[in-house]
Amino acid sequence: MTTPILLSSAAFIIIIGLFLFRAIPAIQAYCTYRGRRLVRCPETQQTEAVNVAARKVVSTAFWGNPMLRLEQCSRWPERQACGQECLQQIEADPDNCLVWNIVSQWYEGQSCALCHKRFGRLKHLDHSPALMDADRRTTEWKGFRAKDLPKIFSTYSPVCWDCHVTETFRREHPELVVNRHRGSQRHV
Ligand SMILES: [Zn+2]
């Protein structure tokens, strides 16, 4: 009676092993290709923001080689029927075109334009830093379209979250702000 039980246990272990053997590369592929990315559109040579269909990557990676297809592009829906040649850029260097990495690398090592605090690598759980234009107006970096960020980075200054909150308050409630340098008497 014990032989069938042993055989079924062995079969169960083999099935689990085979599942993990396929599941691990599928999960790795998902982690590699999830998230928004910036690519240079082969047709227009302009920067566009795209998302790879991560669930399709998982299902195809489970059974063999991951197949990359887009599920979103800033040129869609007008150009939804394009050949998706930009996927070659993602396949060649998936980390370097990830928006999060591009933003993090831009901030890292720079200092806040207002308080001069130095930025480290961005962390997902931290408040997002901001960008400041020539009129001292600050906006969280996530408030811009991803495809515009490379241009924005060349004309805006980095600002930390604390200074962004302060500047926003100053802009929205100027009547409540005390300007010590000008000797203003107005305060809360
Ligand atoms: Zn600051």
Side-chain angles (χ1 to χ4, degrees):
M1 289 296 289
T2 54
T3 304
I5 295 173
L6 283 174
L7 283 175
S8 61
S9 299
F12 179 73
I13 290 169
I14 288 170
I15 289 168
I16 292 295
L18 285 173
F19 177 80
L20 290 176
F21 180 71
R22 295 313 320 161
I24 289 171
I27 293 168
Q28 286 173 333
Y30 173 79
C31 294
T32 300
Y33 291 112
R34 67 179 172 173
R36 203 151 183 74
R37 289 180 157 79
L38 296 184
V39 294
R40 184 162 290 274
C41 176
E43 187 181 322
T44 63
Q45 296 300 312
Q46 299 294 313
T47 301
E48 303 293 344
V50 298
N51 281 65
V52 170
R55 275 182 293 185
K56 188 170 186 66
V57 169
V58 171
S59 59
T60 52
F62 188 85
W63 298 111
N65 290 326
M67 180 191 284
L68 302 192
R69 299 302 297 165
L70 295 183
E71 73 175 3
Q72 232 178 6
C73 170
S74 46
R75 294 192 71 200
W76 289 5
E78 291 79 14
R79 301 297 300 168
Q80 198 151 356
C82 83
Q84 304 192 4
E85 284 87 2
C86 62
L87 284 167
Q88 293 171 10
Q89 300 167 41
I90 297 173
E91 219 166 355
D93 197 349
D95 286 343
N96 242 354
C97 55
L98 195 64
V99 170
W100 177 268
N101 289 345
I102 291 169
V103 173
S104 183
Q105 284 165 12
W106 185 77
Y107 275 102
E108 191 172 12
Q110 295 207 74
S111 300
C112 172
L114 297 174
C115 72
H116 308 298
K117 186 171 74 180
R118 211 166 175 77
F119 291 101
R121 277 196 84 75
L122 296 192
K123 294 176 183 159
H124 287 281
L125 294 180
D126 288 351
H127 288 301
S128 299
L131 294 150
M132 184 172 71
D133 65 15
D135 296 326
R136 207 180 162 110
R137 189 179 187 87
T138 60
T139 308
E140 267 186 72
W141 74 263
K142 290 177 181 173
F144 295 95
R145 293 192 307 175
K147 62 174 283 187
D148 295 334
L149 285 171
K151 280 184 191 165
I152 296 282
F153 286 156
S154 63
T155 52
Y156 282 57
S157 305
V159 169
C160 74
W161 167 259
D162 291 341
C163 290
H164 167 53
V165 171
T166 305
E167 284 303 308
T168 304
F169 183 83
R170 189 195 300 274
R171 189 175 65 246
E172 293 177 354
H173 305 284
E175 75 283 2
L176 299 178
V177 175
V178 177
N179 192 334
R180 295 181 192 284
H181 295 297
R182 294 180 186 169
S184 169
Q185 296 302 305
R186 290 182 297 175
H187 54 80
V188 181

